[in-house]
Amino acid sequence: IAEEIADAFGADLEEIVAAAASDGTGGALRAGLGALVGTRPAVVNPVLRPADYDRLVVASPVWCRRPAGPVRSYLRAQAGALPPAGLVCTSRWPGPGRALADMARLCGTPPLATLDLCAAEIAWRRYGARLDAFLRDLQRLPTVEPLEPLGVPA
């Protein structure tokens, strides 16, 4: 999904990677428990700087109805430097749980667009119309209303 989004815009793509591996059953259990309690594991330092872009898409698998720990860590570390963002969640079951809301809170601003996909939609490639709508929403940058100068009536 991330590659499809990046390809649609000719955009850069960077994976958010945990500094410590969580392989195997024990790692999956630790990652799931960490998602439940909101831990933020260390991540490999990103090469790309979000502040260099006019918009960003952050995608996360859903673990226990929450964003993956490495994604939470990345968003927390980049707080204040993030451009307007689109948020994507993929999960085994339909519905993102708290994942999208948690990601938006960590970004500090409302997302430009959101997309949540479940495993069946991805496996059967039944997400085209929803992905197209997400991509259209991403193309619109938010507008900021200019402030009136102090002491000058409108």
Side-chain angles (χ1 to χ4, degrees), residues 98-122:
R98 292 180 20 188
L100 289 171
D102 286 354
M103 290 170 70
R105 182 181 48 76
L106 289 166
C107 285
T109 58
L112 289 173
T114 61
L115 176 65
D116 63 281
L117 299 173
C118 72
E121 290 175 295
I122 295 168

PDB file of all heavy atoms in Angstrom, residues 98-122:
ATOM      1  N   ARG A  98      -8.383   2.441  17.633  1.00  0.00           N
ATOM      2  CA  ARG A  98      -7.917   3.779  18.017  1.00  0.00           C
ATOM      3  C   ARG A  98      -6.723   4.230  17.194  1.00  0.00           C
ATOM      4  O   ARG A  98      -6.191   5.317  17.414  1.00  0.00           O
ATOM      5  CB  ARG A  98      -7.500   3.767  19.491  1.00  0.00           C
ATOM      6  CG  ARG A  98      -8.631   3.581  20.441  1.00  0.00           C
ATOM      7  CD  ARG A  98      -8.209   3.573  21.885  1.00  0.00           C
ATOM      8  NE  ARG A  98      -6.912   4.179  22.167  1.00  0.00           N
ATOM      9  CZ  ARG A  98      -6.331   4.120  23.343  1.00  0.00           C
ATOM     10  NH1 ARG A  98      -6.897   3.496  24.332  1.00  0.00           N
ATOM     11  NH2 ARG A  98      -5.166   4.698  23.551  1.00  0.00           N
ATOM     12  N   ALA A  99      -6.258   3.403  16.271  1.00  0.00           N
ATOM     13  CA  ALA A  99      -4.989   3.663  15.590  1.00  0.00           C
ATOM     14  C   ALA A  99      -4.953   5.021  14.885  1.00  0.00           C
ATOM     15  O   ALA A  99      -4.020   5.800  15.090  1.00  0.00           O
ATOM     16  CB  ALA A  99      -4.673   2.544  14.611  1.00  0.00           C
ATOM     17  N   LEU A 100      -5.936   5.322  14.067  1.00  0.00           N
ATOM     18  CA  LEU A 100      -5.910   6.594  13.333  1.00  0.00           C
ATOM     19  C   LEU A 100      -6.017   7.790  14.275  1.00  0.00           C
ATOM     20  O   LEU A 100      -5.310   8.789  14.102  1.00  0.00           O
ATOM     21  CB  LEU A 100      -7.013   6.636  12.278  1.00  0.00           C
ATOM     22  CG  LEU A 100      -6.797   5.717  11.078  1.00  0.00           C
ATOM     23  CD1 LEU A 100      -8.053   5.667  10.210  1.00  0.00           C
ATOM     24  CD2 LEU A 100      -5.594   6.149  10.258  1.00  0.00           C
ATOM     25  N   ALA A 101      -6.871   7.691  15.275  1.00  0.00           N
ATOM     26  CA  ALA A 101      -7.011   8.791  16.241  1.00  0.00           C
ATOM     27  C   ALA A 101      -5.712   8.992  17.029  1.00  0.00           C
ATOM     28  O   ALA A 101      -5.288  10.129  17.259  1.00  0.00           O
ATOM     29  CB  ALA A 101      -8.179   8.530  17.190  1.00  0.00           C
ATOM     30  N   ASP A 102      -5.070   7.893  17.426  1.00  0.00           N
ATOM     31  CA  ASP A 102      -3.798   8.000  18.145  1.00  0.00           C
ATOM     32  C   ASP A 102      -2.730   8.635  17.265  1.00  0.00           C
ATOM     33  O   ASP A 102      -1.953   9.481  17.713  1.00  0.00           O
ATOM     34  CB  ASP A 102      -3.319   6.620  18.615  1.00  0.00           C
ATOM     35  CG  ASP A 102      -4.099   6.075  19.786  1.00  0.00           C
ATOM     36  OD1 ASP A 102      -4.966   6.792  20.334  1.00  0.00           O
ATOM     37  OD2 ASP A 102      -3.853   4.904  20.154  1.00  0.00           O
ATOM     38  N   MET A 103      -2.673   8.232  15.996  1.00  0.00           N
ATOM     39  CA  MET A 103      -1.682   8.800  15.078  1.00  0.00           C
ATOM     40  C   MET A 103      -1.931  10.297  14.880  1.00  0.00           C
ATOM     41  O   MET A 103      -0.986  11.093  14.882  1.00  0.00           O
ATOM     42  CB  MET A 103      -1.704   8.051  13.749  1.00  0.00           C
ATOM     43  CG  MET A 103      -1.163   6.634  13.854  1.00  0.00           C
ATOM     44  SD  MET A 103      -1.441   5.654  12.358  1.00  0.00           S
ATOM     45  CE  MET A 103      -0.312   6.442  11.212  1.00  0.00           C
ATOM     46  N   ALA A 104      -3.187  10.694  14.718  1.00  0.00           N
ATOM     47  CA  ALA A 104      -3.511  12.114  14.536  1.00  0.00           C
ATOM     48  C   ALA A 104      -3.103  12.910  15.768  1.00  0.00           C
ATOM     49  O   ALA A 104      -2.530  14.001  15.656  1.00  0.00           O
ATOM     50  CB  ALA A 104      -5.003  12.288  14.253  1.00  0.00           C
ATOM     51  N   ARG A 105      -3.362  12.362  16.948  1.00  0.00           N
ATOM     52  CA  ARG A 105      -2.976  13.045  18.188  1.00  0.00           C
ATOM     53  C   ARG A 105      -1.466  13.215  18.259  1.00  0.00           C
ATOM     54  O   ARG A 105      -0.962  14.289  18.610  1.00  0.00           O
ATOM     55  CB  ARG A 105      -3.485  12.256  19.391  1.00  0.00           C
ATOM     56  CG  ARG A 105      -3.182  12.891  20.738  1.00  0.00           C
ATOM     57  CD  ARG A 105      -3.680  12.049  21.903  1.00  0.00           C
ATOM     58  NE  ARG A 105      -3.332  10.646  21.831  1.00  0.00           N
ATOM     59  CZ  ARG A 105      -2.118  10.144  22.100  1.00  0.00           C
ATOM     60  NH1 ARG A 105      -1.151  10.944  22.466  1.00  0.00           N
ATOM     61  NH2 ARG A 105      -1.885   8.861  22.006  1.00  0.00           N
ATOM     62  N   LEU A 106      -0.719  12.189  17.880  1.00  0.00           N
ATOM     63  CA  LEU A 106       0.737  12.278  17.910  1.00  0.00           C
ATOM     64  C   LEU A 106       1.270  13.265  16.866  1.00  0.00           C
ATOM     65  O   LEU A 106       2.290  13.909  17.083  1.00  0.00           O
ATOM     66  CB  LEU A 106       1.363  10.898  17.701  1.00  0.00           C
ATOM     67  CG  LEU A 106       1.207   9.939  18.878  1.00  0.00           C
ATOM     68  CD1 LEU A 106       1.536   8.511  18.461  1.00  0.00           C
ATOM     69  CD2 LEU A 106       2.090  10.379  20.036  1.00  0.00           C
ATOM     70  N   CYS A 107       0.570  13.385  15.741  1.00  0.00           N
ATOM     71  CA  CYS A 107       0.963  14.367  14.717  1.00  0.00           C
ATOM     72  C   CYS A 107       0.732  15.790  15.216  1.00  0.00           C
ATOM     73  O   CYS A 107       1.428  16.714  14.822  1.00  0.00           O
ATOM     74  CB  CYS A 107       0.170  14.164  13.431  1.00  0.00           C
ATOM     75  SG  CYS A 107       0.681  12.741  12.469  1.00  0.00           S
ATOM     76  N   GLY A 108      -0.289  15.968  16.035  1.00  0.00           N
ATOM     77  CA  GLY A 108      -0.593  17.289  16.572  1.00  0.00           C
ATOM     78  C   GLY A 108      -1.509  18.118  15.701  1.00  0.00           C
ATOM     79  O   GLY A 108      -1.863  19.228  16.070  1.00  0.00           O
ATOM     80  N   THR A 109      -1.894  17.601  14.555  1.00  0.00           N
ATOM     81  CA  THR A 109      -2.814  18.312  13.662  1.00  0.00           C
ATOM     82  C   THR A 109      -3.765  17.308  13.031  1.00  0.00           C
ATOM     83  O   THR A 109      -3.421  16.125  12.896  1.00  0.00           O
ATOM     84  CB  THR A 109      -2.068  19.046  12.531  1.00  0.00           C
ATOM     85  OG1 THR A 109      -1.306  18.088  11.790  1.00  0.00           O
ATOM     86  CG2 THR A 109      -1.137  20.124  13.068  1.00  0.00           C
ATOM     87  N   PRO A 110      -4.944  17.765  12.605  1.00  0.00           N
ATOM     88  CA  PRO A 110      -5.855  16.840  11.924  1.00  0.00           C
ATOM     89  C   PRO A 110      -5.227  16.349  10.619  1.00  0.00           C
ATOM     90  O   PRO A 110      -4.529  17.108   9.935  1.00  0.00           O
ATOM     91  CB  PRO A 110      -7.089  17.698  11.639  1.00  0.00           C
ATOM     92  CG  PRO A 110      -6.978  18.882  12.529  1.00  0.00           C
ATOM     93  CD  PRO A 110      -5.521  19.101  12.771  1.00  0.00           C
ATOM     94  N   PRO A 111      -5.449  15.105  10.265  1.00  0.00           N
ATOM     95  CA  PRO A 111      -4.865  14.586   9.024  1.00  0.00           C
ATOM     96  C   PRO A 111      -5.546  15.174   7.784  1.00  0.00           C
ATOM     97  O   PRO A 111      -6.720  15.540   7.819  1.00  0.00           O
ATOM     98  CB  PRO A 111      -5.116  13.082   9.117  1.00  0.00           C
ATOM     99  CG  PRO A 111      -6.267  12.941  10.042  1.00  0.00           C
ATOM    100  CD  PRO A 111      -6.197  14.094  11.001  1.00  0.00           C
ATOM    101  N   LEU A 112      -4.786  15.239   6.694  1.00  0.00           N
ATOM    102  CA  LEU A 112      -5.355  15.633   5.398  1.00  0.00           C
ATOM    103  C   LEU A 112      -6.348  14.589   4.921  1.00  0.00           C
ATOM    104  O   LEU A 112      -7.357  14.910   4.310  1.00  0.00           O
ATOM    105  CB  LEU A 112      -4.253  15.746   4.341  1.00  0.00           C
ATOM    106  CG  LEU A 112      -3.284  16.895   4.435  1.00  0.00           C
ATOM    107  CD1 LEU A 112      -2.181  16.730   3.397  1.00  0.00           C
ATOM    108  CD2 LEU A 112      -4.010  18.204   4.231  1.00  0.00           C
ATOM    109  N   ALA A 113      -6.006  13.325   5.165  1.00  0.00           N
ATOM    110  CA  ALA A 113      -6.828  12.205   4.707  1.00  0.00           C
ATOM    111  C   ALA A 113      -6.483  10.993   5.555  1.00  0.00           C
ATOM    112  O   ALA A 113      -5.383  10.919   6.120  1.00  0.00           O
ATOM    113  CB  ALA A 113      -6.534  11.910   3.239  1.00  0.00           C
ATOM    114  N   THR A 114      -7.425  10.068   5.650  1.00  0.00           N
ATOM    115  CA  THR A 114      -7.161   8.811   6.352  1.00  0.00           C
ATOM    116  C   THR A 114      -7.636   7.650   5.488  1.00  0.00           C
ATOM    117  O   THR A 114      -8.556   7.792   4.678  1.00  0.00           O
ATOM    118  CB  THR A 114      -7.874   8.742   7.716  1.00  0.00           C
ATOM    119  OG1 THR A 114      -9.280   8.832   7.515  1.00  0.00           O
ATOM    120  CG2 THR A 114      -7.398   9.839   8.652  1.00  0.00           C
ATOM    121  N   LEU A 115      -6.994   6.528   5.703  1.00  0.00           N
ATOM    122  CA  LEU A 115      -7.358   5.305   4.991  1.00  0.00           C
ATOM    123  C   LEU A 115      -7.073   4.146   5.919  1.00  0.00           C
ATOM    124  O   LEU A 115      -5.964   4.042   6.462  1.00  0.00           O
ATOM    125  CB  LEU A 115      -6.534   5.175   3.706  1.00  0.00           C
ATOM    126  CG  LEU A 115      -6.723   3.914   2.879  1.00  0.00           C
ATOM    127  CD1 LEU A 115      -8.150   3.829   2.319  1.00  0.00           C
ATOM    128  CD2 LEU A 115      -5.701   3.871   1.739  1.00  0.00           C
ATOM    129  N   ASP A 116      -8.071   3.303   6.147  1.00  0.00           N
ATOM    130  CA  ASP A 116      -7.846   2.079   6.903  1.00  0.00           C
ATOM    131  C   ASP A 116      -8.284   0.910   6.042  1.00  0.00           C
ATOM    132  O   ASP A 116      -9.349   0.927   5.451  1.00  0.00           O
ATOM    133  CB  ASP A 116      -8.579   2.098   8.250  1.00  0.00           C
ATOM    134  CG  ASP A 116     -10.079   2.176   8.098  1.00  0.00           C
ATOM    135  OD1 ASP A 116     -10.587   3.277   7.849  1.00  0.00           O
ATOM    136  OD2 ASP A 116     -10.737   1.121   8.218  1.00  0.00           O
ATOM    137  N   LEU A 117      -7.412  -0.069   5.940  1.00  0.00           N
ATOM    138  CA  LEU A 117      -7.672  -1.251   5.120  1.00  0.00           C
ATOM    139  C   LEU A 117      -7.468  -2.502   5.950  1.00  0.00           C
ATOM    140  O   LEU A 117      -6.552  -2.557   6.775  1.00  0.00           O
ATOM    141  CB  LEU A 117      -6.708  -1.288   3.922  1.00  0.00           C
ATOM    142  CG  LEU A 117      -6.792  -0.121   2.949  1.00  0.00           C
ATOM    143  CD1 LEU A 117      -5.665  -0.208   1.931  1.00  0.00           C
ATOM    144  CD2 LEU A 117      -8.142  -0.083   2.261  1.00  0.00           C
ATOM    145  N   CYS A 118      -8.310  -3.499   5.701  1.00  0.00           N
ATOM    146  CA  CYS A 118      -8.139  -4.768   6.404  1.00  0.00           C
ATOM    147  C   CYS A 118      -7.480  -5.780   5.469  1.00  0.00           C
ATOM    148  O   CYS A 118      -7.406  -5.583   4.253  1.00  0.00           O
ATOM    149  CB  CYS A 118      -9.469  -5.287   6.942  1.00  0.00           C
ATOM    150  SG  CYS A 118     -10.604  -5.914   5.706  1.00  0.00           S
ATOM    151  N   ALA A 119      -7.002  -6.853   6.057  1.00  0.00           N
ATOM    152  CA  ALA A 119      -6.239  -7.864   5.325  1.00  0.00           C
ATOM    153  C   ALA A 119      -7.013  -8.426   4.136  1.00  0.00           C
ATOM    154  O   ALA A 119      -6.443  -8.635   3.063  1.00  0.00           O
ATOM    155  CB  ALA A 119      -5.825  -8.984   6.276  1.00  0.00           C
ATOM    156  N   ALA A 120      -8.313  -8.644   4.305  1.00  0.00           N
ATOM    157  CA  ALA A 120      -9.100  -9.204   3.201  1.00  0.00           C
ATOM    158  C   ALA A 120      -9.166  -8.235   2.027  1.00  0.00           C
ATOM    159  O   ALA A 120      -9.042  -8.648   0.864  1.00  0.00           O
ATOM    160  CB  ALA A 120     -10.509  -9.554   3.680  1.00  0.00           C
ATOM    161  N   GLU A 121      -9.343  -6.949   2.303  1.00  0.00           N
ATOM    162  CA  GLU A 121      -9.366  -5.949   1.220  1.00  0.00           C
ATOM    163  C   GLU A 121      -8.039  -5.939   0.472  1.00  0.00           C
ATOM    164  O   GLU A 121      -8.012  -5.821  -0.753  1.00  0.00           O
ATOM    165  CB  GLU A 121      -9.608  -4.546   1.781  1.00  0.00           C
ATOM    166  CG  GLU A 121     -10.992  -4.299   2.321  1.00  0.00           C
ATOM    167  CD  GLU A 121     -11.090  -2.931   2.954  1.00  0.00           C
ATOM    168  OE1 GLU A 121     -10.418  -2.691   3.977  1.00  0.00           O
ATOM    169  OE2 GLU A 121     -11.844  -2.104   2.408  1.00  0.00           O
ATOM    170  N   ILE A 122      -6.951  -6.045   1.219  1.00  0.00           N
ATOM    171  CA  ILE A 122      -5.628  -6.017   0.596  1.00  0.00           C
ATOM    172  C   ILE A 122      -5.399  -7.296  -0.206  1.00  0.00           C
ATOM    173  O   ILE A 122      -4.962  -7.243  -1.357  1.00  0.00           O
ATOM    174  CB  ILE A 122      -4.549  -5.809   1.664  1.00  0.00           C
ATOM    175  CG1 ILE A 122      -4.719  -4.429   2.310  1.00  0.00           C
ATOM    176  CG2 ILE A 122      -3.152  -5.959   1.071  1.00  0.00           C
ATOM    177  CD1 ILE A 122      -3.905  -4.211   3.572  1.00  0.00           C
TER     178      ILE A 122
END
